[in-house]
């Protein structure tokens, strides 16, 4: 993520023996495509539940330039829910052109590179660990304005032209409720709180937006690279789609992204009113409070369904410890949903 989701904050895995071919091919790409002399210090970053993230340096003109390789698992396995790494790279570039802080894309992998599907981007230094952003002393002064800044960034993000990405999924609020109801039923694990939330969402569902916009889909604390001056890069564009822009404003307020700071609903660092004020001041549409609440309930349920589904994935196709840890968080969302529905 810049990046790569918390670089400098996440641990890195030593290069495994079976990754020697990856290192050789990356070294060749650096010379052929990026104008460098060689690749150095390739290491897997222990972040990212759906994509591989590798950090390395490119030696060039006596300097070592830090870079990130974001790649499909094994180079070829692609998630059905993701937009595709080539599209993700294009989204990042388009967002940057709209003034959204993003890591620079240096190269999109092609078949001739022999590395599979993915792209290389510049490394952006900063903090992505949500707990440190929400509670760490180093960012105490930043938290004062961070929620408003997030609103301003989302307003710029929502000016991106959906027609530039015709392959992105388009979904109404009702479509998304139906999608996650189906995913929930497929888990085979009844949860009464989820059932209640689905009923509430159906009873209060907003109409399709007059102007569907390109939404990030995962704009939250944990997917933002933050420094003292605020957001340095928006990461993880893999589930972008075209929908109601209020979806992004509700998602960042989901309780799981507050990291224990429950009195600051925006990512554990700010207030909803500041988020909305920044959004409207930067040209975003007026925020309808009842719709924002609906999207926060939807986001909490969506994350709960995603967590509960991780258990089956862990037991079958991907016994990754991160999936097991996420699966246990479904119960947190049940508590959040009860609080929201009782408000």
């Amino acid at each position: 993520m810049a990046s790569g989701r918390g670089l400098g904050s996440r641990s890195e895995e030593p290069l495994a023996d079976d990754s020697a071919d990856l290192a050789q091919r990356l070294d060749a790409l650096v010379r052929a495509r990026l104008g460098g002399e060689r690749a150095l210090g390739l290491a897997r970053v222990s972040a990212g539940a759906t994509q591989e993230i590798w950090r390395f340096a490119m030696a060039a003109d006596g300097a070592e330039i830090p870079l990130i390789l974001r790649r499909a698992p094994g180079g070829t396995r692609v998630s059905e829910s993701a937009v595709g790494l080539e599209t993700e790279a294009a989204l990042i570039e388009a967002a940057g052109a709209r003034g959204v802080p993003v890591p620079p894309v240096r190269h999109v992998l092609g078949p001739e590179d022999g590395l599979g599907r993915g792209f290389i981007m510049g490394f952006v230094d900063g903090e992505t660990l949500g707990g440190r952003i929400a509670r760490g002393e180093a960012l105490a002064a930043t938290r004062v304005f961070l929620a408003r800044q997030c609103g301003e960034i989302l307003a710029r993000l929502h000016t991106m032209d959906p027609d530039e990405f015709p392959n992105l999924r388009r979904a109404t609020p009702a479509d998304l409720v139906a999608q996650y109801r189906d995913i929930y039923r497929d888990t085979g694990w009844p949860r009464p709180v989820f059932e209640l939330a689905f009923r509430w969402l159906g009873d209060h569902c907003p109409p399709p937006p007059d102007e569907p916009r390109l939404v990030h889909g995962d704009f939250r604390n944990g997917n933002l690279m933050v420094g003292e001056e605020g957001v340095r890069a928006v990461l993880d564009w893999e589930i972008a789609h075209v929908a109601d822009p209020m979806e992004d404003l509700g998602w960042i307020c989901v309780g799981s992204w507050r990291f224990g700071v429950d009195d600051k609903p925006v990512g554990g660092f700010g207030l909803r009113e500041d988020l909305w004020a920044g959004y409207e001041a930067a040209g975003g549409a007026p925020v309808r409070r009842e719709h924002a609440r609906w999207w926060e309930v939807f986001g909490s349920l969506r994350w709960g369904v995603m967590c509960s589904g991780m258990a089956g994935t862990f037991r079958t196709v991907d016994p990754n410890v991160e999936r097991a840890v996420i699966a246990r968080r479904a119960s947190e969302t049940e508590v959040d949903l009860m609080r929201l529905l009782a408000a």
Side-chain angles (χ1 to χ4, degrees), residues 98-101 142-159 214 216 219-221 224 230-231 234 245-246 248-253 266-267 269-287:
R98 294 285 184 167
V100 177
T142 307
R143 288 193 288 274
V144 174
F145 58 82
L146 192 56
R148 183 181 178 91
Q149 187 186 64
C150 285
E152 294 168 349
I153 291 170
L154 281 173
R156 294 196 294 272
L157 192 157
H158 292 158
T159 67
L214 192 152
H216 181 278
F219 188 98
R220 61 175 176 83
N221 189 4
L224 304 174
V231 178
V234 178
M246 291 299 102
D248 278 337
L249 277 78
W251 183 243
I252 194 175
C253 295
V266 181
F269 51 73
L271 302 178
R272 295 181 185 90
E273 291 75 13
D274 291 334
L275 174 75
W276 300 338
Y279 186 76
E280 292 174 350
V287 177

Side-chain angles (χ1 to χ4, degrees), residues 157-276:
L157 192 157
H158 292 158
T159 67
M160 295 171 64
D161 185 359
D163 292 338
E164 291 183 17
F165 302 93
N167 293 329
L168 290 185
R169 183 188 176 208
R170 293 176 176 262
T172 66
D175 291 337
L176 291 168
V177 172
Q179 174 190 350
Y180 282 94
R181 183 183 288 112
D182 289 343
I183 295 171
Y184 160 66
R185 288 173 176 166
D186 286 344
T187 67
W189 190 325
R191 293 179 181 268
V193 175
F194 287 8
E195 298 281 356
L196 178 64
F198 275 118
R199 184 183 306 168
W200 186 92
L201 289 169
D203 290 344
H204 299 83
C205 189
D210 294 333
E211 256 192 284
R213 305 306 304 170
L214 192 152
V215 301
H216 181 278
D218 203 8
F219 188 98
R220 61 175 176 83
N221 189 4
N223 281 340
L224 304 174
M225 185 70 74
V226 177
E228 292 181 357
E229 74 281 14
V231 178
R232 293 177 177 171
V234 178
L235 311 174
D236 281 0
W237 292 75
E238 61 189 293
I239 55 174
H241 54 283
V242 180
D244 187 337
M246 291 299 102
E247 180 182 345
D248 278 337
L249 277 78
W251 183 243
I252 194 175
C253 295
V254 167
S256 294
W257 316 139
R258 301 175 194 174
F259 297 90
V261 189
D262 289 336
D263 62 333
K264 299 291 178 63
V266 181
F269 51 73
L271 302 178
R272 295 181 185 90
E273 291 75 13
D274 291 334
L275 174 75
W276 300 338

